[in-house]
Amino acid sequence: MSIEVRALTDEDHALIELARRTVEENTDGPDGVYTMGAAVRAADGRMFAGINVYHFTGGPCAELVALGRARAEGARELTTIVAVGNEGRGVRAPCGRDRQVFVDYHPQMRVILPTGDGIGSVVATQLLPEAFPWSPTGRDD
């Protein structure tokens, strides 16, 4: 399976900057607990940021916090998401759990991540081929 990577737009760069600013202003610092920030853009152009809540049990990832914040603000159609690490770690790829949530709730959302050719964006379903079929409505359609 070949993954189609799209070049970043000005709006994508603004989303990355929101995630970077969020994590740098709220980091847990260099004490070994790596903080991640995330930002998601809605179809209407609004952007929502989130930050992970680190805990030894796993805690919620920054991407899931950003998705929850968007939902709490009434944004249901999301177009793009990105995660950025603290301490200058830059754009990071989402974990498997996040990928499954993206596919289940926003399968056509673009995910900004590092690629072999630099930072780009891909459709969420391309990150989890042959994903477990789950639906938030409880149907397999």
Side-chain angles (χ1 to χ4, degrees):
M1 172 182 197
S2 140
I3 294 178
E4 179 186 336
V5 178
R6 183 185 295 171
L8 299 181
T9 65
D10 289 342
E11 291 83 10
D12 292 339
H13 287 289
L15 198 65
I16 293 168
E17 177 57 22
L18 175 58
R20 187 202 63 75
R21 205 171 55 245
T22 299
V23 73
E24 291 305 331
E25 291 173 1
N26 299 288
T27 185
D28 288 330
D31 62 357
V33 179
Y34 287 107
T35 310
M36 296 292 293
V40 64
R41 184 174 46 247
D44 63 9
R46 291 182 294 160
M47 297 188 299
F48 305 91
I51 197 159
N52 69 316
V53 180
Y54 179 81
H55 191 263
F56 74 92
T57 62
C61 296
E63 296 95 325
L64 299 184
V65 174
L67 290 176
R69 183 166 180 209
R71 175 66 64 93
E73 296 292 328
R76 301 245 177 204
E77 187 179 343
L78 304 178
T79 62
T80 314
I81 194 164
V82 65
V84 174
N86 71 335
E87 303 288 313
R89 292 182 297 131
V91 173
R92 311 302 282 187
C95 72
R97 178 177 64 170
D98 292 341
R99 293 173 191 216
Q100 182 71 54
V101 172
F102 299 166
V103 168
D104 292 339
Y105 282 90
H106 306 285
Q108 295 308 307
M109 180 174 66
R110 297 205 67 84
V111 180
I112 299 172
L113 72 166
T115 73
D117 296 320
I119 306 298
S121 74
V122 302
V123 175
T125 53
Q126 292 181 314
L127 294 177
L128 200 61
E130 306 299 326
F132 176 80
W134 181 84
S135 169
T137 63
R139 300 185 315 252
D140 285 354
D141 49 331

